[in-house]
Each structure stands twice: as structure tokens, then as C-alpha cells.
Amino acid sequence: SQQGEEDPQALSIQEGENATMNCSYKTSINNLQWYRQNSGRGLVHLILIRSNEREKHSGRLRVTLDTSKKSSSLLITASRAADTASYFCATAKTGANNLFFGTGTRLTVIP
Amino acid sequence: SQTIHQWPATLVQPVGSPLSLECTVEGTSNPNLYWYRQAAGRGLQLLFYSVGIGQISSEVPQNLSASRPQDRQFILSSKKLLLSDSGFYLCAWSPQGFVKEKLFFGSGTQLSVL
């Protein structure tokens, strides 16, 4: 499969803790993106990291990319109850015209 | 600013009935348009994408079809629904020339085929 795979499938943490989600993929990519989905809603783009970048920050989000290991991680610092959602990685495969989404990590932040 | 509208939000249809889901984008011209399907607890499966009017690419063989009659309108159709067509359908767009960049999603349609 060309899809990314997120790990863990589900994560439950206390408010204020950090949450780390991982994504592995199988092919060479142009970029990797992370999206968030609240239950029953559409996805919202969080951050994009290109294949020549190793780390990127956006607010409380930190994304890393290791192309040699074909993996990425999303770190949410100082989590809030409002961060409760499913998080998906999406890879833009070299030569393809679309994004391939993983199966997601369901994050629950307990107040 | 750009907005994407997708309707209806929920739909219950009997097996064998037709389907038409509509998606429109405002505030941009010549967008790339996408239809995804999401099974319960799963990732997104790309069904169709379009880079221009009348240009439709299908990613998987299925009981569905897509059309783009206008620049900012994308329609997902079926002549006869199957039970396996149930799922959460999402429309999305990206700026022209950026087919693999940031996608903007609609709010989705939950389709139940009974």
C-alpha cells in the first residue's frame, strides 16, 4: 500500500501533557502533511513538510521528517481538551497526482 | 476568502437507488477538485480528482462516477447504490498547480445505504 500508517491507532493523555504521533510510509515523497479531523467533520490541514526539510514548527505543533527511515512524527505540546480529534498523515508520492492518507491516530485529551 | 460547500450532510438511501452529491467552491478559479471516501475508523480513499472542467481521473473502479460541469462544481453520482457504497464522502479542493499541496475539505456527507 502507498498509504502512510499512523502509530499509535489511539492515544489518551491528560491535559497539559505532550502528544506524539508517528507516521511511516513506503515510497519516495515530495512532501508529507498532517491533518486533523473532528468527529463527523471534514479534515483540516495542519502542517506540510517537504522532503528536503527535517523539522517544522507551527504554534504548539512540531513535525519531523526522516526520509531515510520513511517516517514522520507530529508532536503537540501542552495539549488541551480541544485537541481531541483524529490526526492523519498524508504523503505526496513522487510522480503521483494525489495524496495518500493513513488510517489516523485518535487522540483523546482528558481535562 | 475561499469556501467549499458540500451537501447534504446526511443521506439515507435504499439499495438500487440513484445518488447525487454536490460540491461547490467559492472564491477561487480553476481549482483542483477531489472526492474521497472514508469508511468508519479508516483513512481516506481517493475516488476521483479533476484538474479542469470535464477532466476526471478515477483512482479505483467502483459503482460511482464523477462530473465537473462547471469550473467550481464537482458532482459524485451513482445510478444504483450498493450496500458497500455506505461511508463518509468528502469533497476537497486545492489551488491550481498544487495538486499535492494543501487540501481544503468540505464538511462531508454521511451516506447510509440500506
Side-chain angles (χ1 to χ4, degrees), chain A residues 3 10 12 22 25 33 35 38 49 51 54 56-57 59 61 63-64 67 70 73 79 82 84 88 95 103 107:
Chain A
Q3 290 182 337
S12 184
N22 304 295
Y25 57 92
Q33 304 172 36
Y35 289 79
N38 284 12
I49 186 165
S51 59
R54 292 297 167 258
K56 206 162 183 180
H57 296 256
L61 305 180
V63 170
T64 62
T67 53
K70 292 186 169 55
S73 67
S79 65
T84 295
F88 294 86
T103 52
L107 173 66

Side-chain angles (χ1 to χ4, degrees), chain A residues 3 30-31 33 35 37 40-43 45 48 50 88 92-93 96-99 102, chain B residues 34 36 38 41-44 46 49 59 88 90 99-103 105-108:
Chain A
Q3 290 182 337
N30 293 117
N31 68 64
Q33 304 172 36
Y35 289 79
Q37 183 182 34
R41 305 291 295 177
L43 278 73
H45 182 271
L48 180 153
R50 301 193 183 281
F88 294 86
K93 178 189 172 187
N97 287 322
N98 48 61
L99 294 180
Chain B
Y34 310 81
Y36 283 87
Q38 183 178 29
R42 302 292 300 275
L44 277 68
L46 179 65
Y49 71 95
E59 287 297 305
F88 191 53
L90 289 157
V99 291
K100 296 188 289 189
E101 300 282 322
K102 181 177 180 178
L103 295 186
F105 283 83
S107 54

Side-chain angles (χ1 to χ4, degrees), chain B residues 86-99:
Chain B
S86 293
F88 191 53
Y89 289 82
L90 289 157
C91 180
W93 75 274
S94 67
Q96 181 58 234
F98 295 91
V99 291

Side-chain angles (χ1 to χ4, degrees), chain A residues 38-84:
Chain A
N38 284 12
S39 180
R41 305 291 295 177
L43 278 73
V44 176
H45 182 271
L46 295 176
I47 195 166
L48 180 153
I49 186 165
R50 301 193 183 281
S51 59
N52 61 353
E53 297 176 309
R54 292 297 167 258
E55 187 171 315
K56 206 162 183 180
H57 296 256
S58 177
R60 294 184 295 113
L61 305 180
R62 173 177 169 256
V63 170
T64 62
L65 180 64
D66 187 334
T67 53
S68 66
K69 295 181 180 179
K70 292 186 169 55
S71 67
S72 172
S73 67
L74 171 67
L75 168 67
I76 303 175
T77 60
S79 65
R80 306 167 181 169
D83 294 329
T84 295

Side-chain angles (χ1 to χ4, degrees), chain B residues 11 16-17 21-22 27 29 31 38 42-44 50 54 61 66 70 73 86 89 97 104 106 109 111-112:
Chain B
L11 190 60
S17 64
L21 301 181
E22 189 164 343
S29 296
Q38 183 178 29
R42 302 292 300 275
L44 277 68
S50 171
Q70 300 181 41
Q73 183 185 29
S86 293
Y89 289 82
F104 298 87
T109 296
L111 172 66
S112 298

